[in-house]
Amino acid sequence: TLNQNGALDQTTAEQISDSLAERIKNSPQRKIFSISDIKIINSDSLQSLINYSNALSSLYKKYQVNYTVPDVFQEFIIDENSVDPSVLSKLDPIIANTKKIIEGMAKMSAPKSISTLHLDVINTLEGLIENISDIRLYEGDAIVALSGISKYGENASKLDLYLQNLEKAINQKLNN
């Protein structure tokens, strides 16, 4: 409990800490795209899949950044007791380019058979942008930043899985 001089007992401090950790872990993604937000074409022809695959590759190449979020994290963490928040500005180009990839993916025509995989990639990229943007707030709101850090790894793994699934689906269709 909190007493008159503002001190917390250990049990109350642990309850607040546990509650905060649970809220950080379970906060929902702020923006979620739906199937109506993307362009879907009914054609599953070989040419439509080739066009889709080429457009997606071009989009990723066009907005590629020469370093990754984990690269920035390595610079951010100086040692076990100190960090360099100024390094987090390097996340801005990653955020901006990922937004452009999302916009491009929402506008490109996705064949119907892979549209849900396409949507999974878009939503996971959106989640990553939110995580990275939250991390960027480290100096102003460390709790939000810690939430972003804790969710980033999970979303990065999800993105890898969804991209593999999308690639596998495209390759299976192209090889049939």
Side-chain angles (χ1 to χ4, degrees):
T1 53
L2 183 64
N3 63 28
Q4 286 291 15
N5 66 4
L8 287 177
D9 64 38
Q10 185 64 30
T11 304
T12 304
E14 286 174 6
Q15 288 173 338
I16 291 171
S17 177
D18 290 346
S19 173
L20 187 57
E22 190 63 28
R23 290 181 75 202
I24 286 172
K25 190 171 117 183
N26 293 324
S27 60
Q29 185 169 318
R30 293 181 286 274
K31 180 174 182 176
I32 297 175
F33 289 83
S34 69
I35 204 79
S36 64
D37 294 322
I38 62 173
K39 281 182 158 180
I40 301 172
I41 57 173
N42 284 325
S43 175
D44 272 336
S45 70
L46 184 62
Q47 192 58 52
S48 66
L49 286 161
I50 290 170
N51 292 347
Y52 172 82
S53 182
N54 290 341
L56 189 59
S57 293
S58 294
L59 193 59
Y60 267 88
K61 285 177 187 162
K62 182 176 181 179
Y63 296 113
Q64 185 175 355
V65 178
N66 295 330
Y67 54 89
T68 65
V69 173
D71 294 337
V72 176
F73 285 169
Q74 281 189 317
E75 287 183 53
F76 172 66
I77 300 168
I78 296 170
D79 60 39
E80 63 188 42
N81 296 317
S82 57
V83 295
D84 181 3
S86 69
V87 170
L88 295 178
S89 65
K90 289 183 175 183
L91 296 173
D92 294 344
I94 295 172
I95 294 167
N97 285 10
T98 305
K99 283 181 181 180
K100 290 175 185 171
I101 290 171
I102 292 170
E103 289 167 9
M105 286 185 74
K107 291 176 185 172
M108 67 190 284
S109 298
K112 189 173 187 173
S113 64
I114 58 171
S115 60
T116 55
L117 294 169
H118 180 82
L119 187 62
D120 287 341
V121 171
I122 291 174
N123 278 321
T124 306
L125 285 169
E126 180 63 34
L128 282 172
I129 284 179
E130 291 178 13
N131 300 152
I132 298 166
S133 296
D134 288 349
I135 294 164
R136 186 73 178 85
L137 298 173
Y138 181 82
E139 288 183 293
D141 194 337
I143 292 172
V144 170
L146 291 173
S147 172
I149 290 168
S150 73
K151 291 180 180 178
Y152 175 81
E154 177 185 328
N155 279 329
S157 295
K158 261 203 258 183
L159 180 62
D160 286 342
L161 176 66
Y162 291 151
L163 286 171
Q164 287 172 13
N165 290 345
L166 182 59
E167 182 180 9
K168 190 185 326 177
I170 291 169
N171 288 336
Q172 282 176 345
K173 299 240 179 241
L174 291 177
N175 293 325
N176 283 343

